[in-house]
Amino acid sequence: MSISGNPVFGPNKLKLGLFGLNGKGSAHTTVPEAYRPTWQAALSASRLADDAGFEAIVAYARWKGYIAGKPEHASGVILDPFTFCAGIAQATRHAAVFATSHAPTIHPLVAAKQCATIDIISNGRLALNVVAGWNRPELEMFGAPFREHEARYQHLAEWLTVVERLWSESGEIDFRGEFFAISKGMSQPKPIQQPRPPIMSAGGSEVGRRFACERADLCFILLHRDNPEAWAAQIAQYKKFAWDEFGRKVQVWTLAPVVQRDTDAEAEAYRDHYAVENADRESVEAWISGHQGTAKGMSDEARRSLSRHFAAGGGGYQLIGSADTLSGRLACLSDAGLDGILFTWVDFEDGLKRFTRDVLPQLEKRGLRRPAIEDQAVLSRAS
């Protein structure tokens, strides 16, 4: 199977995925229905998404929670993304499984071998989400240096170069760089997808954007404003940069916490219920304290707004409303040039059932999605 046979390169104009099933998702809330990463819960949600034709199931990497001295807090209860993806791959048929790697926490020889194994288990459905490493307490736990921002991406670029060579070159490799020294390195067997599985990378900074546009197939961004014209400009600028600088066409994806109810008012009321009245304030404040550069100089009202936004979904674009409202907003995002969107819900199973019942048929009518069975048949022929 070539890389083009991966579901993320399938025929649907707007690709859909799940984010965070191996942890608590993106909401910071204390409501009793909040998702927790039991294996049965992860299987149930993954199979619902897979049967509905979703293209991606993305497992994130987190080694330490937000609250110092509370290792049992939900923000630090994370199933390992590589072994999680291997298990989910065996339980699904269609969706790509994304393992996330923070480069300073895993050697490229190990990452290359694990990825190839998951690609074989999944019959060519692996994708790799690469992260330079930004969480100082996590890196300190590994004894890894906390580098300056640009140096983190230099390290990541070298790390990915080693991984890609191990995936594609048949003989042993020697590599001497600033960060890695590989002598007669090898990794067998190779991934099914050649020359390599798809790469995703989030590039918010200028350095991160340059790396993502040069090395990734799927560029993950956070939308800055709730405005279709602003979305179109942000997305177009990203794609233009990739083409102008590197001659590459990239997909642009984003994150969206979803609240769907029968009416917009009911959806907004539930968002306030879990993200304001029952917010996990200790977790939110710990996150803000760890990102002082983000919060520095903010007014009290701006800080409160940031807290509400983070509690609702970790900084993603909030999709809140009825099925009609959600399908309309998704159409606007697609019209703005967005290629894919990763969803989170407070309760994944409940959210997926609502979405596939009420929203997905509307996306098919709008021409943004094919029926799941038809989509899977097309990909099967392509592979």
Side-chain angles (χ1 to χ4, degrees), residues 3-321:
I3 187 174
S4 62
N6 191 290
V8 298
F9 302 112
N12 286 323
K13 183 180 180 184
L14 182 65
K15 314 295 192 298
L16 304 179
L18 302 182
F19 180 82
L21 284 179
N22 64 317
K24 67 176 186 58
S26 65
H28 290 254
T29 181
T30 60
V31 295
E33 67 270 23
Y35 177 83
R36 293 293 180 263
T38 67
W39 185 239
Q40 191 54 53
L43 280 179
S44 179
S46 295
R47 285 169 170 161
L48 284 170
D50 192 56
D51 289 344
F54 279 44
E55 284 83 5
I57 299 170
V58 179
Y60 66 113
R62 179 66 32 76
W63 296 95
K64 210 174 187 65
Y66 292 120
I67 304 174
K70 287 192 174 182
E72 74 286 352
H73 184 265
S75 62
V77 180
I78 310 291
L79 298 171
D80 168 67
F82 285 89
T83 47
F84 177 87
C85 284
I88 294 299
Q90 181 69 2
T92 54
R93 300 169 298 165
H94 170 70
V97 289
F98 284 67
T100 296
S101 177
H102 291 241
T105 68
I106 183 170
H107 195 279
L109 279 163
V110 178
K113 173 76 78 172
Q114 290 180 331
C115 286
T117 302
I118 299 169
D119 203 44
I120 292 166
I121 291 170
S122 66
N123 193 31
R125 290 186 286 128
L126 171 80
L128 180 63
N129 179 32
V130 296
V131 182
W134 56 270
N135 192 339
R136 184 188 292 269
E138 288 185 338
L139 299 183
E140 290 175 346
M141 186 170 72
F142 279 86
F146 186 75
R147 299 181 175 91
E148 294 300 319
H149 187 68
E150 187 169 352
R152 288 179 228 166
Y153 278 96
Q154 292 168 350
H155 174 270
L156 178 59
E158 197 170 291
W159 182 95
L160 185 57
T161 295
V162 173
V163 169
E164 290 178 336
R165 288 189 61 186
L166 290 166
W167 281 343
S168 61
E169 296 184 25
S170 58
E172 296 176 330
I173 71 166
D174 291 317
F175 181 89
R176 293 291 182 275
E178 182 180 352
F179 306 100
F180 295 101
I182 309 295
S183 178
K184 299 185 183 304
M186 58 159 287
S187 180
Q188 293 285 357
K190 304 301 183 187
I192 290 176
Q193 298 176 92
Q194 287 295 325
R196 58 162 175 74
I199 302 296
M200 173 181 273
S201 184
S205 68
E206 182 59 32
V207 174
R209 181 179 69 155
R210 175 169 286 275
F211 173 86
C213 287
E214 182 178 10
R215 303 296 296 269
D217 306 290
L218 295 82
C219 300
F220 187 82
I221 68 171
L222 293 178
L223 297 172
H224 295 154
R225 296 164 62 186
D226 188 7
N227 179 288
E229 290 76 21
W231 299 337
Q234 184 182 353
I235 294 166
Q237 184 182 43
Y238 216 102
K239 292 183 177 183
K240 185 176 186 299
F241 182 83
W243 181 255
D244 289 349
E245 291 290 318
F246 307 108
R248 302 185 70 241
K249 291 183 178 180
V250 297
Q251 292 187 19
V252 174
W253 289 52
T254 197
L255 172 71
V258 184
V259 180
Q260 180 188 337
R261 292 295 184 269
D262 291 341
T263 68
D264 291 353
E266 289 173 331
E268 290 164 3
Y270 183 69
R271 184 270 317 275
D272 292 343
H273 170 71
Y274 82 82
V276 179
E277 298 161 17
N278 292 281
D280 186 343
R281 293 179 177 81
E282 187 179 23
S283 182
V284 171
E285 286 303 314
W287 181 85
I288 292 176
S289 296
H291 292 74
Q292 286 298 334
T294 301
K296 186 177 181 180
M298 280 187 172
S299 66
D300 289 343
E301 177 53 37
R303 188 183 177 97
R304 284 192 294 270
S305 177
L306 175 65
S307 297
R308 289 192 298 269
H309 195 72
F310 184 72
Y317 172 68
Q318 296 177 23
L319 280 169
I320 300 170

